[in-house]
Amino acid sequence: MPGSTPTAFPRPPLRERLRLADALRTETVGGVLLLVAAVAALIWANTAAGSYAAVRDFHFGPAALGLDLSVGHWAADGLLAVFFFVAGVELKRELVAGELRDPRRALLPVVAAVCGMVAPALVYVLVNVSGGGALTGWAVPTATDIAFALAVLAVLGTSLPSALRAFLLTLAVVDDLFAILIIAVFFTSDLDFLALGGAVAGLALFWFLLRTGVRGWYVYLPLAVTVWALMYNSGIHATIAGVAMGLMLRCTTREGEEHSPGEHVEHLVRPVSAGFAVPLFALFAAGVSVSGEALADIFTRPETLGVVLGLVVGKALGIFGGTWLTARFTRASLSDDLAWPDIFAVATLAGIGFTVSLLIGELAFADDPALADEIKASVLVGSLTATLVATVLLRMRNAKYRTLWEAEERDEDENAVPDIEEQDDPAHHRRLAARYEKRAAEHRARAEALEAGDTPNPPPGT
């Protein structure tokens, strides 16, 4: 209602919870594959470094089109465009039909995400200013890897209540948006305006075809590849093409539609992104040396120490602090089912940075491959540390989470609608009251008929 006090971390409506559960299943499986790919990369790079480097640096592609790229670059610039396409669709859906549609409801995750990116950057800058390190890596610890975070939850078996899960996903969507802006603004090389003009024209055609109702993957897939290639040659990071096309899809339903085109395409592409594109990127991005000397250097070199502290300390304090400040100075209030330790646990979990952090690390230190590898190692160490801290905090509250989750999923009347949803539905209350009143009237009429000596048929339901 207008003027009502917004609740921080409210339980999403049933439709949103079903969509959330579907996304979580895909992201969790993808996160497990991502974890497997990262471990495989570490083992491969530390047991057969020569063959790993040979495969990662092998070049192929049409040189005449400026696309003679290494396997590692194809993974980072090509496959991650699929990941960012899904991120673009998810962002569009949140903006038009999700948590970000209502400015009052959007305020909390937006402020939390902004603080959760500013604080790690500040931590990195402070460490490097005091230690005389390079400031170019300030953006590395700002990103959250939602797939990895959900994989951790799957391994822990923690049943987060839907309110916290929705917040974590919304937070990640906003986080992805700002990561995209960082890549576009701060990591754009010299522009080729001819290629950029071609990419913009391709995006305009993409938008026109969507608006005129043209269908068929055989139309959009070649166009998408062309736009991506032009964007790559323009000097702007090619993943921006994926985001732009994702944002163009319609994510609202029309009469007669069960799902919007955006939801349908996301449902088809998300498994490709989570199950193939991102794990393959991890395989060729996470292969760094993890010798004792290399690990020791992480905590002595300001650039790498800044990344670790940014992920572990900056993320947790930024997200928790942003949430607390929003609740303190606005009308938002914490849900009765949750406590501030729950918020801190989720904030700590957001310190798991992987996919985008690795990508930004490559971009920030492209001129120093040795330091880039050390930055990647620091991302892994920081993410692992955040995982361990989050594990302890979540385990401490796991019994509480399980109770909340079971209450949300209970369906004693087996009508496929959770009982708690029916209890929260005023219309459902009215229907129940009308049903009971009708049944009571039937019983009164039967009693009066019996007193009069009649033998009426028993009312339904007796």
Side-chain angles (χ1 to χ4, degrees):
M1 294 176 60
S4 60
T5 302
T7 301
F9 305 97
R11 187 176 68 253
L14 180 59
R15 178 181 173 83
E16 182 68 10
R17 285 174 59 196
L18 294 175
R19 187 202 67 81
L20 177 65
D22 181 61
L24 285 169
R25 280 192 294 269
T26 305
E27 291 288 2
T28 301
V29 172
V32 173
L33 293 175
L34 180 62
L35 182 61
V36 171
V39 172
L42 289 171
I43 294 174
W44 187 5
N46 285 273
T47 57
S51 66
Y52 179 82
V55 174
R56 183 192 59 195
D57 298 334
F58 177 77
H59 278 65
F60 69 96
L65 299 178
L67 297 176
D68 182 18
L69 310 178
S70 68
V71 171
H73 275 112
W74 276 112
D77 294 282
L79 292 179
L80 279 194
V82 180
F83 166 80
F84 279 103
F85 172 80
V86 175
V89 177
E90 183 68 18
L91 175 62
K92 177 68 173 291
R93 203 208 65 80
E94 289 290 337
L95 287 170
V96 300
E99 289 292 307
L100 303 180
R101 178 181 56 178
D102 183 349
R104 294 182 306 138
R105 297 278 290 274
L107 180 65
L108 184 68
V110 169
V111 171
V114 171
C115 292
M117 300 188 81
V118 171
L122 288 177
V123 169
Y124 179 92
V125 169
L126 289 174
V127 171
N128 282 269
V129 166
S130 60
L135 299 182
T136 52
W138 63 269
V140 176
T142 60
T144 294
D145 194 304
I146 187 61
F148 227 139
L150 292 175
V152 171
L153 291 179
V155 172
L156 293 177
T158 302
S159 300
L160 276 183
S162 59
L164 281 180
R165 289 180 288 171
F167 178 79
L168 183 59
L169 279 180
T170 305
L171 186 74
V173 169
V174 180
D175 188 287
D176 284 342
L177 169 63
F178 286 104
I180 291 162
L181 293 176
I182 287 172
I183 292 172
V185 174
F186 295 99
F187 298 103
T188 294
S189 57
D190 296 335
L191 289 177
D192 182 329
F193 288 99
L194 181 61
L196 180 59
V200 172
L203 289 172
L205 178 59
F206 190 89
W207 178 86
F208 176 77
L209 293 174
L210 287 173
R211 290 301 174 272
T212 53
V214 175
R215 297 189 177 187
W217 64 268
Y218 47 85
V219 174
Y220 291 101
L221 184 58
L223 179 59
V225 172
T226 302
V227 170
W228 171 85
L230 288 168
M231 190 70 75
Y232 176 84
N233 281 285
S234 74
I236 297 176
H237 199 270
T239 54
I240 303 302
V243 178
M245 287 183 280
L247 287 170
M248 290 181 183
L249 293 180
R250 177 169 58 83
C251 293
T252 54
T253 56
R254 294 175 178 171
E255 186 177 354
E257 290 182 341
E258 184 177 356
H259 301 288
S260 68
E263 287 179 298
H264 178 68
V265 173
E266 181 191 6
H267 182 74
L268 294 175
V269 179
R270 184 185 288 273
V272 177
S273 169
F276 176 73
V278 175
L280 200 56
F281 164 75
L283 182 64
F284 293 108
V288 296
S289 172
V290 291
S291 65
E293 182 180 353
L295 291 176
D297 288 344
I298 290 175
F299 298 98
T300 58
R301 184 159 188 163
E303 293 91 347
T304 50
L305 180 61
V307 170
V308 173
L309 293 179
L311 288 172
V312 178
V313 178
K315 271 291 184 182
L317 294 182
I319 293 174
F320 181 83
T323 305
W324 185 86
L325 288 172
T326 305
R328 174 68 177 81
F329 294 105
T330 70
R331 300 179 63 185
S333 61
L334 199 64
S335 170
D336 294 336
D337 292 332
L338 303 176
W340 285 109
D342 301 321
I343 313 306
F344 190 75
V346 172
T348 304
L349 189 67
I352 301 175
F354 193 80
T355 305
V356 180
S357 290
L358 291 176
L359 175 61
I360 294 177
E362 288 185 351
L363 297 174
F365 297 99
D367 296 333
D368 191 344
L371 181 53
D373 281 348
E374 293 181 10
I375 291 294
K376 291 180 183 179
S378 67
V379 170
L380 298 178
V381 170
S383 299
L384 178 60
T385 305
T387 299
L388 295 176
V389 175
T391 297
V392 173
L393 296 176
L394 291 169
R395 283 293 187 186
M396 292 171 62
R397 298 282 292 171
N398 202 33
K400 173 70 173 178
Y401 296 150
R402 185 173 291 110
T403 300
L404 291 173
W405 185 83
E406 289 174 351
E408 290 179 352
E409 299 300 318
R410 187 175 296 115
D411 182 20
E412 294 184 353
D413 55 6
E414 298 182 351
N415 65 347
V417 179
D419 298 338
I420 196 168
E421 293 290 336
E422 298 178 320
Q423 294 168 7
D424 289 348
D425 183 359
H428 177 72
H429 281 300
R430 291 193 294 270
R431 289 193 297 270
L432 283 180
R435 187 187 307 166
Y436 292 145
E437 178 61 31
K438 179 180 178 182
R439 197 169 287 180
E442 290 171 344
H443 280 286
R444 286 196 299 270
R446 183 167 181 266
E448 292 171 358
L450 288 173
E451 289 179 2
D454 296 333
T455 55
N457 294 326
T462 58

